[in-house]
Amino acid sequence: DSWQVAYVWAFIVKFNLKDRIKRLECLEDFEQSLMEPVANRPDDILEGILIRFLGNLKPGLRNLDPTNIQHHLSNHISDQLLGPSEFTVWDRPWAPNEEARASCCTQASDRTELGRLRYAGEPPAERVSRNPLVKAAERGGGLFEMDWRERAGLLRQLVDWQLTHSEHIRAIINKENHAPLPKGVTVPESQAKVGIEPIGMDRNKQRIWVFDNSGRIYKSGNPFKRPCPIFAISSNKTEMQAQIDLWAAHGNSPKPEVGPKGKKAEVVAAKKAAKGIEDEKKLAEVVGGLMEAVEKEDARIARARKKIADQAKIFEQAEFRSTRTRRTTRKIDYSYDGDEVNEEEYEQPRRTSRRGEPSAAAAPSKPLIPGERTSARLRRNNNDEAASVSHTGDGGSSPPIESRQTSPVEAGDEEEARGAKRQKMENGSEGRDDEADGNRAGMNGHGKEGRNGNANEDVDQRSEGMEGIEA
């Protein structure tokens, strides 16, 4: 119900600052950052708003973050209180109404002070002492220990200063009012209209205001008269629909009729009632047309909050997740309740540091299954590996390797292979001899017999050589 909260929120929405403030999705988030207890309050939203506001006021100030925003903000407030003579929320407030302020023609001794924003000759030190952040520091607190009304007043004062002194904000206002823009300042074409007008009036001539698509409807009196309080009459889509139904019901009611001889007061009252019926009927139509935009905004807020919750859940899980990627080198102990485990049974062979040097406890290339028949090649490879292990394990001279004993089956296979090889060689020799005899046909018998004799001697020598190999 604080008009200052609505004032600040309207400024944030109209000047497209909501998308530049992290985690600020709707008016409820803003109100929560102001009014929730310290334990539940999302201070990062309030910090983001202050950083954005101070950045607009002092664009040359760099590296603004939550750690130094309170220091820079306090310095800026003190400078503003010392310098210009503008009225601030921390000065003496306006009188509540015109009668209390009196007229300009009064003969009172303090007539020069009545209705003034600031009185002349005020000591600068007294004004600086009104800095709310300085007062909070004197109490041993800070920005986030202040009352929510004090924080709302602080934000309202920052909005006033931005509307007056910020070049970026002034450029947007000048463009809408067709005034020349400051040199070097541009305004995006997507900038919406920043002016706020009431969307209608009810039967009591109360102005109805809508600042965004959140379902929040405000009501106020005549803004050109003081006092003019503003307060909310709906805060969500359901309450907004209920308010529309009330306006529509009154707008569809029959208009009062006055006879031709009615009194003047009755005629005026009838016209006023008829005007109120027409106003609320139009108001129900206008606000009813905003329901679709309100539904889309609610869906967008639900998606944004789900995304924020998912990110927070991921961050919480990351705190308990181990970042170690290598396997642990410590041996796991599987003993329970004091049971003793023989470590020799689970000890694994160590790898050697030299490349190509086999381990002393090298396992066979293929595990043997009891009762499985293996080939002669596999058994020979296993025996060769065992012999090499015994040779490298002693560290001295290698002992002679005993001859391998073959089984009868292996002996028979080797004998058949040698016999087939010898037969092939003999057949090849005879074929070559026959070919040589045919090619040398017509030669004399002595030379032929001599050469045949030599060939036969060669065959005999090869036969003897084969027998020697077999022996």
Side-chain angles (χ1 to χ4, degrees):
D1 292 336
S2 174
W3 71 270
Q4 296 183 115
V5 176
Y7 175 69
V8 175
W9 178 250
F11 174 81
I12 293 174
V13 172
K14 291 300 181 180
F15 288 91
N16 295 334
L17 301 180
K18 184 175 65 174
D19 297 336
R20 304 179 185 180
I21 301 172
K22 188 177 180 181
R23 294 184 58 186
L24 181 61
E25 300 295 338
C26 59
L27 178 56
E28 285 76 10
D29 295 338
F30 176 49
E31 292 176 339
Q32 185 181 7
S33 67
L34 290 175
M35 303 181 64
E36 286 289 331
V38 177
N40 303 329
R41 188 171 62 228
D43 289 338
D44 53 345
I45 295 179
L46 182 59
E47 291 171 350
I49 295 173
L50 293 174
I51 290 173
R52 178 57 55 186
F53 285 3
L54 190 58
N56 289 337
L57 290 170
K58 303 182 70 175
L61 190 61
R62 304 298 181 184
N63 300 325
L64 278 176
D65 54 49
T67 61
N68 56 21
I69 180 61
Q70 184 168 336
H71 170 72
H72 291 296
L73 184 60
S74 178
N75 292 341
H76 181 73
I77 293 174
S78 298
D79 294 341
Q80 290 296 115
L81 291 176
L82 281 174
S85 60
E86 299 173 1
F87 173 75
T88 64
V89 297
W90 306 292
D91 290 320
R92 185 178 58 185
W94 285 89
N97 50 56
E98 297 293 334
E99 289 77 10
R101 291 199 306 145
S103 63
C104 59
C105 300
T106 181
Q107 299 297 324
S109 58
D110 57 346
R111 62 183 182 276
T112 58
E113 306 296 334
L114 293 176
R116 294 181 59 86
L117 299 181
R118 289 177 55 184
Y119 66 91
E122 185 177 8
E126 182 180 350
R127 287 184 54 79
V128 175
S129 64
R130 298 174 184 174
N131 187 338
L133 297 180
V134 173
K135 292 182 178 180
E138 293 175 354
R139 297 192 301 264
L143 174 65
F144 302 103
E145 285 72 29
M146 297 166 57
D147 183 70
W148 75 268
R149 293 177 180 83
E150 294 178 346
R151 289 196 296 272
L154 171 63
L155 293 173
R156 173 237 171 152
Q157 184 59 58
L158 293 177
V159 170
D160 288 344
W161 284 337
Q162 290 177 83
L163 293 172
T164 307
H165 303 293
S166 175
E167 292 185 359
H168 174 68
I169 301 300
R170 292 300 307 171
I172 297 175
I173 297 174
N174 292 341
K175 180 181 180 181
E176 183 169 328
N177 293 277
H178 306 286
L181 300 179
K183 186 177 180 181
V185 179
T186 59
V187 179
E189 297 295 335
S190 60
Q191 176 64 46
K193 184 179 179 181
V194 298
I196 300 176
E197 298 291 339
I199 61 175
M201 292 190 300
D202 61 1
R203 73 190 81 169
N204 299 320
K205 293 187 177 181
Q206 298 287 314
R207 272 68 171 177
I208 307 300
W209 307 82
V210 174
F211 300 144
D212 60 355
N213 297 325
S214 63
R216 187 71 64 91
I217 302 177
Y218 292 91
K219 180 189 290 189
S220 74
N222 188 350
F224 299 99
K225 293 183 179 180
R226 300 178 58 246
C228 179
I230 183 173
F231 53 92
I233 58 176
S234 72
S235 59
N236 51 46
K237 183 178 67 175
T238 304
E239 297 178 0
M240 185 177 184
Q241 184 62 50
Q243 191 65 43
I244 293 174
D245 296 338
L246 292 177
W247 289 330
H250 184 73
N252 295 328
S253 61
K255 297 181 181 180
E257 297 181 358
V258 181
K261 294 183 179 180
K263 296 181 180 181
K264 183 177 180 180
E266 294 177 354
V267 174
V268 172
K271 291 182 178 180
K272 184 177 180 181
K275 181 69 167 54
I277 291 174
E278 293 179 359
D279 291 341
E280 293 205 356
K281 185 177 181 179
K282 293 179 181 179
L283 192 60
E285 295 175 356
V286 173
V287 179
L290 302 176
M291 289 298 297
E292 183 178 357
V294 172
E295 293 176 355
K296 291 182 179 180
E297 182 68 11
D298 290 345
R300 185 197 66 82
I301 293 172
R303 292 192 301 269
R305 288 180 174 175
K306 184 178 181 301
K307 184 177 180 180
I308 293 173
D310 293 341
Q311 292 178 351
K313 186 177 180 180
I314 292 174
F315 292 152
E316 291 178 0
Q317 293 176 352
E319 295 179 358
F320 301 100
R321 187 184 302 119
S322 175
T323 58
R324 184 179 179 89
T325 57
R326 296 183 301 161
R327 295 179 59 184
T328 179
T329 58
R330 186 175 61 181
K331 185 171 60 177
I332 302 175
D333 185 11
Y334 291 101
S335 61
Y336 300 95
D337 299 332
D339 296 341
E340 295 183 359
V341 179
N342 188 5
E343 297 181 358
E344 296 180 357
E345 298 179 1
Y346 299 98
E347 185 175 0
Q348 299 293 334
R350 297 181 179 179
R351 296 181 180 179
T352 58
S353 59
R354 299 178 184 178
R355 181 176 295 181
E357 183 178 346
S359 175
S365 59
K366 180 181 178 181
L368 298 179
I369 302 175
E372 181 185 16
R373 181 180 178 183
T374 57
S375 63
R377 179 179 58 80
L378 182 58
R379 286 196 297 271
R380 183 166 61 253
N381 292 339
N382 292 339
N383 293 334
D384 294 341
E385 291 179 2
S388 63
V389 169
S390 62
H391 175 70
T392 58
D394 296 341
S397 60
S398 61
I401 301 175
E402 297 181 359
S403 61
R404 182 172 59 89
Q405 297 180 0
T406 59
S407 63
V409 177
E410 294 178 355
D413 294 341
E414 294 178 0
E415 183 65 25
E416 291 178 1
R418 285 195 295 270
K421 184 176 182 180
R422 184 171 62 253
Q423 184 66 28
K424 183 178 181 180
M425 294 177 64
E426 291 177 355
N427 294 337
S429 300
E430 292 176 358
R432 286 193 297 272
D433 292 341
D434 294 339
E435 185 180 359
D437 292 342
N439 293 333
R440 295 183 181 88
M443 296 180 67
N444 55 37
H446 179 72
K448 181 178 180 180
E449 292 176 357
R451 284 190 292 274
N452 290 337
N454 293 334
N456 293 333
E457 290 178 0
D458 294 338
V459 172
D460 295 339
Q461 290 178 359
R462 283 192 294 270
S463 300
E464 292 176 359
M466 293 298 298
E467 292 175 357
I469 292 173
E470 293 176 0

